């Protein structure tokens, strides 16, 4: 009788361990749990306990007091693959800044449909139609929105992505709100980043590394100082 | 150091643009692009194409009770009326009513008329509450992919990149207009910025994209709502176009020809005075 009980105990223990391993390693299930957790708690912010492994990243938002982008340290959940992490990073960018000193990079309600790696270090980032419809317009605002996305991707994932192509509803976006031409892929633009702009929140992580020099680009627009 | 780098980058790019543009001037004549050669009949008129931004379903940016497409059309009409009084200027509009055009169609109007200058009139918008002031934009010089050869020739090969070989003229116009806007009381010095702009890239003549203000800022919207033919921005545009065309205001002596302005970092990328 005692032996049967011990056997049952070990059987249940192994079953429990097996179930935990399946939940952890089985992607769709893991994603489902992460999505549920995000829906319940929102994305990770510095100082908030996270159930999933997180990484420190730098998002780029337009500064509230400047016509340039301002670095915004944040913490996001790490995906199994880099592209999953990129999607989390872009979702955090679309949610907008939670601290003062920054302006949104994209219209409220704009959603990321997907992000797909392509050849030559290109990442195709596909937004829903709200990304375009809710944009205030203006050539410079469009430019900052486009490079908020590109800088955020290329700065945080330099080994994986060198340039970004924006899509809207699965099609190449020729423009965001009618002025800017998005004919060329977007690369990291260090010169669009304000060096003395918004201050990180107390206790927030410092950027993982200094901003890298821009990649070898074809001639591009000079920065709005 | 950072400021120096910020200023050096645009200066270097604009110098490159100037160099390519000058090189482009020696290339074979392009439709609507180069001056008439010896023995050719010179153009009888300075053809100005005014492009009021947006139109139709494309309302552009929105301000309090104000749509960008209406502001740009009103400003274009006011400017056009003033410029029609000059004998040497022929004014063509890309749209004269609430019509929707693609950016390529807009540039095509300029190319079809072999325009001497293409002026796009716009307003800006921003999520930043304090944004204000006019801005002057030029098309960013871009090398077309997969085309080999000399840069100027390579850039001219792509029809949609026709603006590349006219950037020097565009920059001269922008620098002079910047000085005129800066002289408007309370206006501040507008920045000159280069961006990849849809409606300018294919314009095969000097061209500029002029934003008259930030429509999303209530005070700016109020200013834009009150546009009239004596508006200082309209007058500044009129004066600069007349200078660029080598014409004087009716009843005045024609302006002396000016030397090309150098592309200095301060003038090419200065901060909006109001910000």
């Amino acid at each position: 009788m005692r032996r049967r009980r011990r056997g049952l105990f070990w059987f249940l223990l192994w079953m429990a361990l097996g179930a935990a391993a399946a939940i952890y390693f089985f992607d769709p299930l893991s994603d489902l749990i992460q999505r549920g957790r995000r829906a319940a708690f929102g994305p990770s912010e510095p100082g908030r306990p996270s159930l999933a492994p997180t990484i420190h990243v730098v998002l780029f938002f337009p500064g509230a007091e400047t016509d340039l982008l301002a670095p915004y340290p944040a913490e996001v959940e790490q995906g199994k693959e880099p592209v999953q992490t990129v999607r989390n990073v872009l979702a955090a960018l679309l949610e907008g800044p939670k601290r003062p000193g920054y302006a949104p990079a994209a219209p409220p309600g704009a959603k990321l449909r997907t992000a797909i790696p392509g050849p030559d270090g290109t990442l195709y980032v596909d937004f829903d139609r709200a990304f375009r419809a809710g944009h205030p317009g203006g050539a410079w605002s469009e430019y900052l929105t486009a490079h908020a996305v590109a800088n955020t991707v290329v700065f945080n994932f330099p080994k994986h992505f060198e340039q970004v192509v924006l899509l809207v509803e699965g099609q190449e976006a020729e423009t965001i709100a009618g002025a800017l031409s998005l004919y060329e892929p977007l690369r990291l633009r260090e010169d669009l980043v304000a060096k003395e702009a918004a201050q990180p929140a107390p206790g927030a992580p410092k950027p993982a590394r200094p901003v890298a020099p821009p990649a070898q680009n074809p001639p591009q627009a000079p920065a709005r100082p | 150091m950072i400021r120096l780098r910020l200023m050096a980058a645009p200066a270097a790019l604009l110098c490159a643009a100037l160099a390519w543009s000058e090189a482009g001037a020696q290339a074979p004549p392009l439709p609507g692009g180069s001056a008439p050669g010896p023995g050719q009949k010179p153009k009888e008129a300075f053809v100005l194409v005014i492009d009021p931004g947006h139109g139709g379903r494309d309302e552009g940016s929105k301000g309090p009770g104000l749509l960008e497409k209406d502001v740009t059309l009103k400003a274009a009409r006011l400017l056009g009326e003033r410029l029609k009084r000059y004998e040497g200027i022929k004014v063509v509009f890309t749209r004269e009513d609430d019509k929707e055009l693609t950016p390529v169609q807009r540039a095509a109007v300029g190319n079809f008329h072999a325009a001497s200058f293409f002026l796009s009139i716009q307003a800006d918008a921003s999520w930043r509450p304090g944004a204000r002031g006019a801005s002057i934009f030029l098309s960013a010089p871009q090398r077309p992919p997969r085309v080999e050869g000399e840069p100027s020739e390579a850039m001219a090969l792509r029809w949609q990149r026709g603006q590349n070989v006219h950037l020097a003229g565009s920059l001269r116009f922008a620098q002079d207009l910047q000085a005129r806007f800066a002289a408007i009381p309370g206006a501040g010095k507008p920045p000159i910025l280069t961006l990849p702009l849809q409606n300018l890239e294919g314009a095969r003549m000097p061209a500029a994209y002029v934003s008259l203000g930030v429509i999303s800022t209530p005070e700016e919207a109020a200013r834009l709502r009150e546009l009239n033919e004596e508006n200082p921005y309209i007058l500044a545009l009129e004066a600069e176009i007349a200078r660029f065309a080598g014409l004087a205001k009716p009843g005045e002596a024609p302006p002396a020809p000016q030397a090309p302005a150098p592309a200095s970092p301060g003038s090419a990328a200065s901060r909006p005075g109001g910000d």
Side-chain angles (χ1 to χ4, degrees):
Chain A
M1 187 67 180
R2 202 171 166 185
R3 184 183 276 178
R4 281 182 66 186
R5 271 191 192 165
R6 194 183 299 164
L8 188 64
F9 169 77
W10 281 111
F11 174 75
L12 290 173
L13 182 66
W14 281 113
M15 287 290 285
L17 285 174
I23 287 169
Y24 185 79
F25 291 109
F26 188 50
D27 263 352
L29 196 54
S30 171
D31 281 353
L32 206 63
I33 289 167
Q34 296 300 334
R35 251 181 273 155
R37 202 196 68 78
R38 269 199 296 277
F41 301 111
S44 301
E45 280 290 318
R48 175 178 286 181
S50 173
L51 302 178
T54 59
I55 59 165
H56 291 168
V57 295
V58 178
L59 311 178
F60 290 90
F61 289 109
E65 303 296 332
T66 170
D67 280 327
L68 294 170
L69 297 172
Y72 180 98
E75 195 176 353
V76 300
E77 288 168 15
Q78 188 167 18
K80 295 277 163 48
E81 300 292 331
V83 72
Q84 285 180 343
T85 311
V86 171
R87 288 178 190 136
N88 295 344
V89 169
L90 289 171
L93 183 73
L94 291 179
E95 283 189 11
K98 304 283 192 293
R99 301 192 288 272
Y102 302 86
K111 295 278 185 293
L112 178 73
R113 296 177 79 228
T114 187
I116 303 164
D120 303 326
T122 303
L123 182 72
Y124 295 88
V125 180
D126 187 11
F127 296 105
D128 70 353
R129 67 182 77 248
F131 182 76
R132 180 181 281 159
H135 200 280
W140 190 255
S141 294
E142 288 184 54
Y143 201 54
L144 288 186
T145 293
H147 278 285
V149 176
N151 275 20
T152 296
V153 170
V154 181
F155 177 79
N156 291 296
F157 305 92
K159 290 180 183 170
H160 300 94
F161 305 112
E162 291 177 9
Q163 57 187 16
V164 170
V165 173
L166 299 186
L167 312 179
V168 175
E169 296 287 336
Q171 295 183 36
E172 241 179 277
E174 293 176 358
T175 185
I176 296 175
L180 187 69
S181 166
L182 291 174
Y183 185 82
E184 299 286 345
L186 302 160
R187 291 171 176 264
L188 180 69
R189 289 288 306 274
E190 181 200 15
D191 55 337
L192 291 181
V193 179
K195 302 298 186 294
E196 301 150 13
Q199 295 297 312
K206 289 182 179 175
R209 60 183 173 79
V211 174
Q216 290 298 313
N217 288 349
Q220 287 199 25
R224 186 173 194 153
Chain B
M1 188 63 186
I2 291 167
R3 186 174 292 275
L4 273 175
R5 286 174 62 193
L6 272 171
M7 293 169 78
L13 286 167
L14 285 164
C15 286
L18 274 171
W20 291 345
S21 189
E22 295 301 341
Q26 296 166 10
L30 298 166
S34 49
Q40 287 180 290
K41 188 183 174 187
K43 283 179 188 171
E44 289 175 348
F46 179 92
V47 180
L48 171 72
V49 169
I50 303 180
D51 174 36
H54 309 280
R57 289 174 304 169
D58 174 14
E59 296 176 335
S61 304
K62 296 176 184 66
L66 200 59
L67 298 176
E68 184 185 359
K69 67 173 184 176
D70 298 330
V71 171
T72 59
L73 185 58
K74 184 178 178 184
R77 283 175 176 158
L78 291 169
L79 179 62
E81 285 304 313
R82 293 198 70 89
L83 288 168
K84 280 176 182 171
R85 293 183 293 186
Y86 292 75
E87 279 191 8
I89 296 181
K90 178 185 174 190
V91 178
V92 176
F93 295 95
T94 55
R95 69 177 179 100
E96 294 187 76
D97 49 23
D98 190 17
K99 187 169 74 175
E100 189 169 341
L101 294 168
T102 67
V104 173
Q105 285 174 321
R106 293 170 191 273
V109 172
N111 294 334
F112 178 78
H113 288 277
S116 313
F117 195 82
F118 183 91
L119 177 68
S120 181
I121 296 182
Q122 307 277 340
D124 225 327
S126 176
W127 278 303
R128 196 161 62 83
R132 64 180 293 268
S135 304
I136 305 166
F137 295 92
L138 303 177
S139 180
Q142 293 195 357
R143 208 179 279 269
R146 298 180 295 279
V147 178
E148 295 183 355
E150 290 299 314
S152 61
E153 292 173 11
M155 284 189 293
L157 281 174
R158 290 290 294 268
W159 183 257
Q160 289 306 324
R161 293 292 163 81
Q163 179 59 198
N164 277 327
V165 292
H166 295 281
L167 287 171
S170 304
L171 180 61
R172 284 176 202 131
F173 176 90
Q175 287 176 325
D176 208 57
L177 184 65
Q178 180 187 48
R180 290 180 194 276
F181 278 0
I184 296 171
K189 191 176 179 183
I192 298 175
L193 305 158
T194 60
L195 298 182
L197 293 166
Q198 283 205 313
N199 58 345
L200 258 57
E201 283 179 338
R204 303 180 83 85
M205 72 283 308
Y209 175 113
V210 177
S211 165
L212 295 175
V214 184
I215 195 172
S216 54
T217 304
E219 306 86 65
E220 292 273 288
R223 177 171 67 78
L224 293 170
R225 191 179 288 114
E226 302 301 321
L227 281 179
N228 58 45
E229 64 171 10
E230 296 299 324
N231 180 279
Y233 290 91
I234 301 293
L235 296 179
L237 280 166
E238 176 201 349
E240 175 51 23
I241 287 162
R243 185 208 64 80
F244 197 79
L247 299 169
K249 276 190 171 183
E252 288 183 4
Q258 291 187 1
S264 67
S267 60
S270 60
R271 195 175 181 73
D275 287 346

